[in-house]
Amino acid sequence: MPQLTPSQARVIDPILSTVAQGYKNADLIGDALFPLVPVGTRGGKIITFGKEDFAIYNTARAPGANTRRVQFGYSGSSFALESHSLEGQVPVELMQEGQAVPNIDQGTVAVFKVQSIIFNRLEFAQATLAMTPGNYAVSNKTTLAGTSQWSDLASGVSDPIKNIETAKEAVRKQIGRRPNTIVMGAAVFAMLKMHPKVIDRVKYTGRDIATPELLAALFDVKRVVVGEAVYTDSAGAMQDMWGKGVVVAYTDLSGVADAGSPTFGYTYRLQGYPLVEQPYPERNSK
């Protein structure tokens, strides 16, 4: 008899897996830059795009002459999916209490708690990848210093609107599309709401304070997304995952992208995941 494949041997709880697949933490925004791409294998090629679409070709053809031809192809590095798993413990006592009270399912509660931890890890990885300056070419990043920082509210030197417009033009000239998404850390958003030049532009809308929606209109992009997630560092202190950076990007707006869709980044996930294994009793600890 042939050996079972991992997918055939896997024991899952279809009900709790449905709960897991439909659940998303409200304050996590990583898929704004790295939309989900379902894949059928644990490894493959990452699709990258050349500049063929932007070349000026000689397409003229004389009567009876051969049609000119052009070849297209994808090239890319390999990807390999990482496996992540975690068990959530539900004491028998709590399970019995839950059964006595309507609408409290300790299994579902455990799934939510475990998945929150898994999603927080993913969000941290996405934020680190997006907000690390060393991951960008010199021409694709700008570091503000001194009075040019958006946190300088008094000197009148800093200009968030000009900075964003400069970044948008830089992106357009490189990919031929205008950015549609701006992602920023919560600390950056807090400063923007108080920035004199932002307030001066927003006051004509009749609003007292800048919201992400108003900033999207001000910066002329589809959306401004604020990363509110926090984590505890090695010393136990709470830190912002998205730090003090801003990313101006063109991304897939659906949150679930095709592998061939041009977008800032991707999150590859095996089809059918996440899944939940059937619960089992640990008799000693109950």
Side-chain angles (χ1 to χ4, degrees), residues 43-273:
K45 291 289 185 180
I46 299 175
I47 295 177
T48 57
F49 299 89
K51 297 184 178 180
E52 296 89 352
D53 289 356
F54 305 108
I56 305 299
Y57 295 97
N58 181 6
T59 58
R61 172 182 171 273
N66 291 335
T67 299
R68 298 177 185 272
R69 293 178 177 176
V70 61
Q71 290 184 337
F72 300 98
Y74 297 120
S75 63
S77 56
S78 299
F79 75 85
L81 301 186
E82 297 179 349
S83 294
H84 294 268
S85 62
L86 194 66
E87 286 189 345
Q89 293 181 318
V90 180
V92 171
E93 294 85 352
L94 294 183
M95 185 170 60
Q96 292 172 341
E97 293 293 329
Q99 292 172 346
V101 180
N103 300 321
I104 296 182
D105 184 342
Q106 293 295 335
T108 300
V109 172
V111 169
F112 285 164
K113 292 293 187 182
V114 167
Q115 189 143 330
S116 290
I117 295 173
I118 296 290
F119 279 172
N120 281 339
R121 186 215 62 83
L122 175 60
E123 181 88 352
F124 181 79
Q126 292 168 328
T128 301
L129 185 59
M131 293 297 183
T132 300
N135 293 333
Y136 298 88
V138 174
S139 59
N140 292 342
K141 61 186 175 184
T142 299
T143 301
L144 302 178
T147 55
S148 65
Q149 297 180 87
W150 297 355
S151 56
D152 184 88
L153 307 178
S155 69
V157 175
S158 65
D159 193 338
I161 301 171
K162 181 179 179 180
N163 295 149
I164 292 295
E165 195 61 33
T166 300
K168 287 167 55 184
E169 276 299 294
V171 173
R172 183 191 64 81
K173 289 180 179 179
Q174 290 200 38
I175 68 171
R177 295 173 185 248
R178 287 195 172 276
N180 58 13
T181 298
I182 295 176
V183 171
M184 64 183 66
V188 179
F189 179 57
M191 289 294 100
L192 274 182
K193 289 191 294 183
M194 297 185 292
H195 198 283
K197 292 182 180 178
V198 172
I199 294 174
D200 184 61
R201 296 285 293 273
V202 168
K203 67 183 181 182
Y204 298 107
T205 66
R207 300 290 295 272
D208 301 358
I209 192 170
T211 63
E213 293 74 22
L214 282 178
L215 289 176
L218 178 61
F219 296 143
D220 192 22
V221 293
K222 294 291 186 182
R223 59 182 178 177
V224 168
V225 186
V226 180
E228 301 279 358
V230 297
Y231 71 99
T232 53
D233 61 17
S234 58
M238 301 294 283
Q239 304 288 347
D240 282 333
M241 286 192 188
W242 292 92
K244 297 180 180 180
V246 177
V247 175
V248 179
Y250 179 85
T251 67
D252 185 283
L253 297 177
S254 67
V256 180
D258 181 89
S261 300
T263 188
F264 175 87
Y266 303 98
T267 299
Y268 291 88
R269 179 181 293 169
L270 197 62
Q271 291 177 349
Y273 279 71

Side-chain angles (χ1 to χ4, degrees), residues 87-90 277-283:
E87 286 189 345
Q89 293 181 318
V90 180
E277 294 182 351
Q278 291 182 352
Y280 66 94
E282 183 69 43
R283 296 189 181 279

